[in-house]
Amino acid sequence: MTVPSGAATIAAIAFDIDGTLVDSEPLHLDVLNEVCAETGVDLSGLDDDRFRGVHLADVWTALEPRRPADLSHQRWTDLIVARYCARAGELRPLAGMEELLAAARGAGVRMVCVSNSVRRIVDANIAALGIAGDIAFSVSYDDVPHGKPHPAPYAMAASRLGLAPAQVAAVEDSETGAISASAAGLRVFGIATEHLVVPGAELTVARLDELITPILGVTAPDALPRPGDLTKEQ
């Protein structure tokens, strides 16, 4: 990896959540398919990753020619959000998440979440991951005038952190998110899921803990303790 010339020291990390910290895309897809089948929305012929990183409002718009005229946006959205939140306990963190968060804590680097999901889903994801104590705050789609790929979500995060955008590293799994973060002036790092690279990221890795050295500038330890590994002395 080539670090941009004159790059500022990274003082905070802004994580996307869905597909970045948690393998939630299968649940999102499952719920979307389930609700669309119930409400008469035709998803035939669409790729599974067609709406990856896309906010529900934009999914609704894209499905306009495929949905029944009497289906309301509110009912469709409420069904999807409720079903997703009810099943959030099924979610598991992506490989290396705990190690990267532990390393960031140790380095004194603040962490926030910047998501294209609505507030209820963001909160459900953070609770399922058990990371509320690590995250200074989160930015949801409900908090900004425009969602990703607009720069507003990441611009808000940098402003609330009180940092120049170049001091914040965004971690993203989608081109939509990478465009948003880059346009806001953040450095962008990618986590590979369905794709080998994240377009626009200066580096894409397979595991989150592979970002410890590129972002934090420290050598990744062979093994960092995980919350479940700590036991009381007898």
Side-chain angles (χ1 to χ4, degrees), residues 29-207:
L29 179 61
D30 194 23
V31 169
L32 177 66
N33 286 335
E34 180 181 293
V35 171
C36 284
E38 289 181 15
T39 56
V41 180
D42 178 19
L43 297 181
S44 61
L46 295 177
D47 292 337
D48 285 350
D49 64 350
R50 167 66 176 81
F51 299 118
R52 187 180 193 89
V54 180
H55 177 64
L56 273 178
D58 296 322
V59 176
W60 170 261
T61 299
L63 292 175
E64 192 276 333
R66 294 170 171 264
R67 49 183 165 82
D70 61 348
L71 177 62
S72 74
H73 181 204
Q74 191 64 55
R75 175 171 178 260
W76 181 82
T77 301
D78 286 348
L79 282 171
I80 288 178
V81 172
R83 299 278 177 86
Y84 182 94
C85 291
R87 295 177 57 185
E90 302 173 16
L91 298 171
R92 297 294 179 268
L94 285 177
M97 184 202 77
E98 292 162 333
E99 292 86 346
L100 176 54
L101 266 60
R105 285 197 305 270
V109 171
R110 287 178 288 170
M111 295 173 279
V112 302
C113 287
V114 180
S115 175
N116 229 17
S117 291
V118 297
R119 171 54 58 190
R120 285 178 61 195
I121 288 180
V122 169
D123 290 346
N125 282 338
I126 290 174
L129 291 171
I131 60 172
D134 291 311
I135 302 301
F137 61 82
S138 60
V139 176
S140 76
Y141 183 88
D142 297 331
D143 301 321
V144 291
H146 305 285
K148 305 173 189 178
H150 194 279
Y154 281 106
M156 174 179 282
S159 176
R160 288 185 61 181
L161 285 163
L163 296 172
Q167 293 178 281
V168 185
V171 181
E172 276 282 355
D173 73 307
S174 72
E175 183 175 11
T176 298
I179 291 171
S180 172
S182 180
L186 281 67
R187 289 178 61 187
V188 184
F189 296 83
I191 178 71
T193 49
E194 300 295 327
H195 308 286
L196 295 178
V197 297
V198 174
E202 62 184 74
L203 172 70
T204 299
V205 298
R207 290 174 51 98

